[in-house]
Protein backbone atom coordinates (compact mmCIF):
# COMPACT_ATOMS: atom_id res chain seq x y z
CA UNK A 1 0.00 0.00 0.00
CA UNK A 2 2.92 2.32 0.74
CA UNK A 3 4.32 1.93 -2.79
CA UNK A 4 0.90 2.47 -4.35
CA UNK A 5 0.30 5.65 -2.37
CA UNK A 6 3.79 6.96 -3.13
CA UNK A 7 3.43 6.39 -6.88
CA UNK A 8 -0.02 7.99 -6.97
CA UNK A 9 1.34 11.14 -5.32
CA UNK A 10 4.80 11.36 -6.90
CA UNK A 11 4.88 9.83 -10.37
CA UNK A 12 2.92 12.06 -12.73
CA UNK A 13 3.50 9.93 -15.85
CA UNK A 14 1.42 7.10 -14.36
CA UNK A 15 -2.35 6.98 -14.63
CA UNK A 16 -4.29 8.83 -11.95
CA UNK A 17 -5.75 5.69 -10.38
CA UNK A 18 -2.49 3.70 -10.34
CA UNK A 19 -3.17 2.43 -6.81
CA UNK A 20 -6.23 0.56 -8.11
CA UNK A 21 -4.22 -1.28 -10.76
CA UNK A 22 -0.77 -1.85 -9.30
CA UNK A 23 -0.37 -5.49 -8.33
CA UNK A 24 1.42 -7.00 -5.36
CA UNK A 25 4.24 -8.11 -7.66
CA UNK A 26 4.53 -4.65 -9.23
CA UNK A 27 4.96 -3.16 -5.76
CA UNK A 28 7.70 -5.62 -4.84
CA UNK A 29 9.41 -5.20 -8.19
CA UNK A 30 9.53 -1.45 -7.47
CA UNK A 31 10.87 -2.05 -3.94
CA UNK A 32 13.62 -4.42 -5.15
CA UNK A 33 14.87 -1.94 -7.78
CA UNK A 34 18.03 -0.12 -6.76
CA UNK A 35 17.41 3.61 -6.43
CA UNK A 36 13.65 3.34 -5.92
CA UNK A 37 12.34 4.57 -2.58
CA UNK A 38 9.12 5.80 -1.03
CA UNK A 39 10.99 7.84 1.56
CA UNK A 40 10.77 11.61 1.46
CA UNK A 41 14.11 11.93 3.27
CA UNK A 42 16.88 13.34 1.05
CA UNK A 43 19.47 10.90 2.44
CA UNK A 44 17.57 7.71 1.52
CA UNK A 45 19.08 6.30 -1.67
CA UNK A 46 16.62 3.45 -2.23
CA UNK A 47 19.05 0.58 -1.69
CA UNK A 48 17.42 -1.17 1.27
CA UNK A 49 15.34 -3.92 -0.33
CA UNK A 50 17.81 -4.44 -3.18
CA UNK A 51 20.67 -4.83 -0.67
CA UNK A 52 18.62 -7.30 1.37
CA UNK A 53 17.96 -9.36 -1.75
CA UNK A 54 21.62 -9.28 -2.88
CA UNK A 55 22.83 -10.18 0.61
CA UNK A 56 20.41 -13.08 0.91
CA UNK A 57 21.50 -14.49 -2.45
CA UNK A 58 25.22 -14.03 -1.65
CA UNK A 59 24.85 -15.69 1.77
CA UNK A 60 22.74 -18.54 0.37
CA UNK A 61 19.95 -17.49 2.72
CA UNK A 62 16.36 -18.64 2.26
CA UNK A 63 14.50 -15.40 2.95
CA UNK A 64 10.81 -14.77 3.33
CA UNK A 65 9.12 -11.42 3.71
CA UNK A 66 5.84 -11.17 5.60
CA UNK A 67 3.67 -8.18 4.82
CA UNK A 68 0.00 -7.68 5.66
CA UNK A 69 -1.73 -10.90 4.63
CA UNK A 70 1.07 -12.03 2.34
CA UNK A 71 4.30 -13.97 2.47
CA UNK A 72 6.94 -13.73 -0.26
CA UNK A 73 9.71 -16.30 -0.57
CA UNK A 74 12.57 -14.23 -1.95
CA UNK A 75 13.39 -15.45 -5.48
CA UNK A 76 16.92 -15.35 -6.86
CA UNK A 77 15.73 -13.25 -9.82
CA UNK A 78 13.13 -10.49 -9.60
CA UNK A 79 10.55 -10.87 -12.34
CA UNK A 80 6.76 -10.78 -12.29
CA UNK A 81 6.64 -14.54 -12.93
CA UNK A 82 9.04 -15.39 -10.09
CA UNK A 83 7.37 -12.98 -7.66
CA UNK A 84 3.93 -14.46 -8.42
CA UNK A 85 5.27 -18.00 -8.10
CA UNK A 86 6.78 -17.20 -4.69
CA UNK A 87 3.93 -15.15 -3.15
CA UNK A 88 1.28 -16.63 -0.84
CA UNK A 89 -1.78 -15.35 0.99
CA UNK A 90 -1.29 -16.25 4.66
CA UNK A 91 -4.96 -15.81 5.56
CA UNK A 92 -3.91 -13.84 8.65
CA UNK A 93 -2.89 -10.23 9.06
CA UNK A 94 0.76 -10.07 10.08
CA UNK A 95 3.17 -7.20 10.51
CA UNK A 96 6.05 -6.48 8.16
CA UNK A 97 9.09 -8.60 8.95
CA UNK A 98 11.77 -10.80 7.42
CA UNK A 99 12.55 -14.41 8.22
CA UNK A 100 15.73 -16.07 6.99
CA UNK A 101 17.35 -19.49 7.17
CA UNK A 102 20.92 -20.24 6.12
CA UNK A 103 21.32 -23.18 3.76
CA UNK A 104 24.41 -25.32 4.34
Amino acid sequence: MNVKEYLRQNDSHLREDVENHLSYTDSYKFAFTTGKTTSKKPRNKGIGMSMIMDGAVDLNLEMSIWDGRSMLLLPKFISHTELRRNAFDTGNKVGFYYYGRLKF
Side-chain angles (χ1 to χ4, degrees):
M1 296 307 295
N2 189 39
V3 171
K4 289 180 181 185
E5 181 65 20
Y6 172 82
L7 290 174
R8 184 181 65 75
Q9 293 177 357
N10 298 290
D11 203 333
S12 61
H13 80 276
L14 296 174
R15 59 192 287 174
E16 229 175 83
D17 59 348
V18 66
E19 71 272 14
N20 295 329
H21 301 280
L22 196 69
S23 73
Y24 173 81
T25 54
D26 291 327
S27 297
Y28 268 104
K29 194 162 177 156
F30 174 91
F32 284 123
T33 302
T34 303
K36 300 288 187 180
T37 183
T38 59
S39 176
K40 293 178 173 65
K41 297 177 183 175
R43 296 177 127 179
N44 188 325
K45 303 298 182 195
I47 58 172
M49 291 288 279
S50 60
M51 279 182 64
I52 289 167
M53 184 188 77
D54 291 344
V57 170
D58 289 347
L59 293 171
N60 202 23
L61 182 70
E62 287 180 340
M63 173 80 72
S64 58
I65 301 169
W66 300 75
D67 181 15
R69 294 176 53 100
S70 303
M71 179 192 72
L72 174 69
L73 297 173
L74 192 67
K76 290 192 187 279
F77 304 102
I78 301 301
S79 69
H80 288 286
T81 303
E82 285 301 303
L83 288 167
R84 280 191 176 95
R85 188 176 298 155
N86 288 292
F88 304 93
D89 183 347
T90 63
N92 297 316
K93 274 202 163 211
V94 295
F96 183 82
Y97 65 95
Y98 300 95
Y99 175 79
R101 182 172 63 186
L102 282 173
K103 297 185 293 184
F104 290 106

